[in-house]
Amino acid sequence: MAAEEKEDFGVFVDWSQMGDVSRDAPAGKAEYKDPKELKQHARSGQWAKNHTQRALVYRQLIKALLCRAVTADAAVYRDIVGNSSSKRNPANFPLPEFVDGAAVPLYCLKPEAAGSVHAIISCVAGEFPDVSHCPALPAVVALMLHWSPDESQCFEAVGRLLACNEPGRRMLDQTFLAYQSSCMTFGDLAHKYCPAAHKLIVAAATDVLEVYADWQRWVLGDLPFSHTARVMDVFLVEGYKVLYRVALAILKFYRKHKAAGGATTQQDSAGVKADIQAYVRSIGSSVSPDKLLEKAFSIRLFSRKEITLLQLANEKSLQQKGITVRQKSSDLSLRRRNVQLAVNAENFCSEIVSAKEMKEIWSWIPERFALCQPQLLFTTSTHGCSLNRFYSHCEGYEPTLLLIKTTDREVCGAFLSTDWEERKRGGNKLSYFGTGECFVFRMKPEMERYEWVVIKHPELANSAQAGSDQPDQEANDADANSNSLPVESPPTSTTDPAQLSPFLAARHFHLNARNTSMFMAGNVDSIIIGGGDGNALYIDSELNHGRTGRCATFDNPPLCAESFQITLLEVWGFQDAMKT
């Protein structure tokens, strides 16, 4: 330990910018045996004022990562690049294409340290050929250089982050596919956990996905150093999920900042991106590092495992659409143009909602369907008021969007994740099926969406008693509108894990099926959306009359008049825009 304490961990740092961080204080505790104490110290900023202690803690944390057996280390760097303490010219070490044009943030480094960052990234490009897309790398290398005694030690630390192969843990996106799916996952999380902020972005930007594509840069690149260093403390302990949390917190603070400034006007996406970047860079004037992390960890996200499952589902969707690691930035531009044109005012025609309103609904759907265009499957004005015809036109399509207009000119509906053909698994019995991605909404007189109650109250996922998700044996005698309908039985353990996520399926939760997982049901007599102490929507076999009320699954108020008559009903599917 004595030898380590003599190392100068601030050799690349411009100490005039480091505020009250101590360079010479005794190192303090650097090794932790108690994981709870380690997490508590990371979150509370225990190492924030002691530069050497933080450097030594980081060294231990990175050393403890499980990595590939053969990983380039400090000795490799010294052999290839050398370990010069003299100023390097960045022009001699051009940044590789995989950083996607990301700039090198200096944070509190000396100006001449920019050459060292370039040299390290250049060596990473040569020694880690599997890295094909990693825009966060310049920021990560610049950050780690603050706590490195020389370039080679920084290279080794970054290399271990890239080579980490610990099951269930990932540190940095390294492919175009992983990066793109993380942007989609952030979009999913944003409109589920930051609905007010997401609504602001939808109203302000012409292309929401383009704005969210910058989410990692907000955290690793734009945040001031004091904030980013605190994020790194927790990131190295808790992993990738921390980045999502902090970015969501930034989005929440940005909305609060914009709300204080008055009305929002729509502008091009580049303008919104620049506005968020400017806010994040100056966030220190209104939000301290403690306040940022407090907000980040107050968001009640699902677990790391469940977020990983959502990421895998988004990756699978991109692979199916041909957007893979081999795609270049030009393909991303094409993708964004297709997303922007997904609901085209010239081609879209509904008797219930306008193209503008449909775009609002599109902003609510899971990101992996963002490339899809609305495809009219069924409308009572053409196909008549028959539940049998409803089923025949909707079966084979997944997901679908149900729109209802009442004789009182109220408009409501539901996003339904699962093919209506699934109802046949229950025979003639009404039994619930579907997933936690389902939601209900109303459009008029006011737009509002109501999601699966577990999203806002994840503690309900663990509230069930053993066996509570088995079908109700008395359901045969229940009324069609009863809240005691049987629920889809959980699939066997052979289910493809790539199909699972907290939003894709409720099957890996121990849910109280009585009130939190009643998504959709149908038979020859009716269709029902939402259950538990009532139904969000009940529609009769003639698609003529309906009822709406509060239900426990979506915790929604009545979506329109509690008893209503239908003047129009439409069902829309999702057509892959990349194939049209």
Side-chain angles (χ1 to χ4, degrees):
M1 180 64 71
E4 285 181 338
E5 290 177 354
K6 292 180 182 179
E7 291 180 282
D8 184 357
F9 291 101
V11 66
F12 298 100
V13 174
D14 178 357
W15 284 94
S16 67
Q17 301 184 53
M18 291 291 283
D20 58 355
V21 177
S22 172
R23 181 179 188 178
D24 303 317
K29 185 171 184 174
E31 296 187 35
Y32 290 81
K33 294 183 179 179
D34 182 357
K36 290 184 178 179
E37 182 187 21
L38 174 62
K39 179 187 275 192
Q40 192 274 328
H41 281 195
R43 291 192 180 189
S44 64
Q46 186 76 16
W47 320 309
K49 299 295 178 65
N50 189 323
H51 191 80
T52 300
Q53 181 184 21
R54 180 179 257 158
L56 292 173
V57 170
Y58 282 14
R59 176 177 285 179
Q60 294 299 322
L61 291 173
I62 292 173
K63 183 180 178 180
L65 289 175
L66 296 180
C67 296
R68 297 193 296 262
V70 179
T71 300
D73 58 11
V76 170
Y77 184 88
R78 288 191 292 268
D79 288 343
I80 296 173
V81 186
N83 217 9
S84 174
S85 59
S86 60
K87 181 178 178 180
R88 295 188 186 275
N89 184 353
N92 294 334
F93 301 93
L95 295 179
E97 185 178 344
F98 67 63
V99 304
D100 198 29
V104 173
L106 280 179
Y107 294 113
C108 297
L109 295 175
K110 298 173 182 176
E112 55 267 29
S116 295
V117 176
H118 277 247
I120 294 167
I121 295 174
S122 178
C123 192
V124 166
E127 295 305 306
F128 293 84
D130 291 342
V131 178
S132 58
H133 195 84
C134 190
L137 192 62
V140 171
V141 172
L143 284 166
M144 295 309 301
L145 199 57
H146 286 75
W147 302 287
S148 300
D150 57 47
E151 293 173 358
S152 65
Q153 293 294 324
C154 180
F155 170 83
E156 180 170 320
V158 172
R160 291 189 67 81
L161 292 176
L162 292 170
C164 176
N165 62 358
E166 187 174 331
R169 183 169 189 174
R170 107 181 192 273
M171 303 303 289
L172 297 172
D173 292 330
Q174 300 174 44
T175 67
F176 186 85
L177 180 62
Y179 175 79
Q180 280 300 105
S181 62
S182 77
C183 294
M184 293 170 66
T185 300
F186 179 76
D188 283 324
L189 297 175
H191 66 64
K192 290 181 184 297
Y193 296 104
C194 308
H198 178 69
K199 188 174 182 180
L200 169 71
I201 300 300
V202 170
T206 54
D207 188 340
V208 177
L209 288 180
E210 187 174 351
V211 174
Y212 288 158
D214 279 354
W215 78 273
Q216 284 191 27
R217 193 180 70 180
W218 302 343
V219 183
L220 298 173
D222 292 338
L223 272 179
F225 175 75
S226 58
H227 293 65
T228 311
R230 288 289 302 279
V231 172
M232 286 295 291
D233 290 348
V234 192
F235 168 68
L236 291 176
V237 174
E238 301 186 41
Y240 192 93
K241 184 182 170 186
V242 169
L243 303 182
Y244 282 132
R245 284 190 172 278
V246 174
L248 291 172
I250 289 171
L251 198 59
K252 283 178 174 283
F253 281 121
Y254 175 72
R255 186 207 66 85
K256 186 176 180 181
H257 163 73
K258 296 301 289 185
T264 299
T265 57
Q266 190 172 66
Q267 54 185 311
D268 62 66
S269 301
V272 177
K273 286 156 61 86
D275 191 48
I276 295 177
Q277 182 181 53
Y279 170 73
V280 176
R281 288 180 173 178
S282 62
I283 198 172
S285 62
S286 57
V287 180
S288 68
D290 280 327
K291 192 174 180 181
L292 179 66
L293 289 180
E294 181 182 354
K295 176 68 74 174
F297 286 101
S298 71
I299 301 170
R300 304 177 72 183
L301 286 182
F302 287 100
S303 72
R304 180 198 302 171
K305 175 184 176 182
E306 291 151 356
I307 295 295
T308 299
L309 292 170
L310 180 59
Q311 175 99 5
L312 289 173
N314 284 329
E315 284 190 10
K316 182 175 181 180
S317 174
L318 289 169
Q319 287 172 324
Q320 290 172 340
K321 292 176 171 63
I323 302 174
T324 69
V325 66
R326 292 183 296 277
Q327 301 295 314
K328 305 298 182 182
S329 58
S330 59
D331 298 294
L332 176 57
S333 298
L334 174 61
R335 171 179 179 266
R336 289 174 177 160
R337 286 197 295 274
N338 283 328
V339 170
Q340 179 62 23
L341 296 174
V343 183
N344 192 312
E346 294 180 3
N347 300 327
F348 176 75
C349 183
S350 166
E351 296 179 79
I352 298 179
V353 296
S354 66
K356 183 177 184 297
E357 289 170 327
M358 195 61 142
K359 283 185 179 181
E360 294 277 1
I361 297 172
W362 235 241
S363 74
W364 292 336
I365 67 173
E367 290 290 349
R368 65 188 183 283
F369 300 117
L371 293 177
C372 297
Q373 297 175 355
Q375 175 186 6
L376 185 62
L377 303 178
F378 175 85
T379 172
T380 52
S381 66
T382 301
H383 304 110
C385 297
S386 163
L387 187 53
N388 283 335
R389 283 197 288 274
F390 170 95
Y391 287 138
S392 66
H393 282 82
C394 297
E395 287 176 3
Y397 292 90
E398 179 180 294
T400 55
L401 185 72
L402 174 70
L403 295 176
I404 298 169
K405 185 175 183 179
T406 73
T407 52
D408 293 331
R409 303 184 67 81
E410 294 178 296
V411 174
C412 60
F415 173 81
L416 303 170
S417 63
T418 305
D419 189 339
W420 277 107
E421 194 165 13
E422 283 290 304
R423 78 190 189 283
K424 297 177 180 177
R425 291 175 58 182
N428 291 325
K429 300 176 184 177
L430 265 173
S431 60
Y432 281 104
F433 56 97
T435 75
E437 284 191 313
C438 293
F439 60 82
V440 295
F441 59 89
R442 63 183 180 195
M443 298 295 290
K444 296 175 182 177
E446 183 178 279
M447 290 186 65
E448 196 66 52
R449 172 185 54 159
Y450 304 96
E451 294 187 290
W452 184 26
V453 67
V454 172
I455 291 172
K456 290 186 177 179
H457 300 284
E459 69 277 4
L460 295 176
N462 300 313
S463 66
Q465 299 299 317
S468 65
D469 57 356
Q470 296 303 311
D472 190 330
Q473 296 302 314
E474 299 178 0
N476 292 341
D477 301 323
D479 179 82
N481 195 34
S482 170
N483 65 355
S484 61
L485 298 178
V487 179
E488 176 188 31
S489 299
T492 65
S493 59
T494 58
T495 301
D496 179 3
Q499 298 295 326
L500 300 178
S501 91
F503 314 122
L504 292 174
R507 57 182 69 115
H508 61 294
F509 287 124
H510 298 296
L511 288 175
N512 184 339
R514 287 265 182 203
N515 61 10
T516 58
S517 59
M518 296 175 163
F519 300 113
M520 52 194 289
N523 63 6
V524 295
D525 298 316
S526 63
I527 60 174
I528 294 175
I529 313 299
D533 303 322
N535 300 123
L537 285 169
Y538 167 89
I539 300 171
D540 68 10
S541 62
E542 296 179 349
L543 306 184
N544 189 22
H545 290 91
R547 297 193 294 272
T548 179
R550 182 196 171 275
C551 79
T553 296
F554 300 115
D555 193 24
N556 60 284
L559 302 176
C560 58
E562 292 191 28
S563 181
F564 58 87
Q565 187 169 353
I566 299 170
T567 183
L568 278 169
L569 183 149
E570 295 176 350
V571 179
W572 293 81
F574 292 76
Q575 185 176 15
D576 190 348
M578 300 296 285
K579 296 179 181 179
T580 59

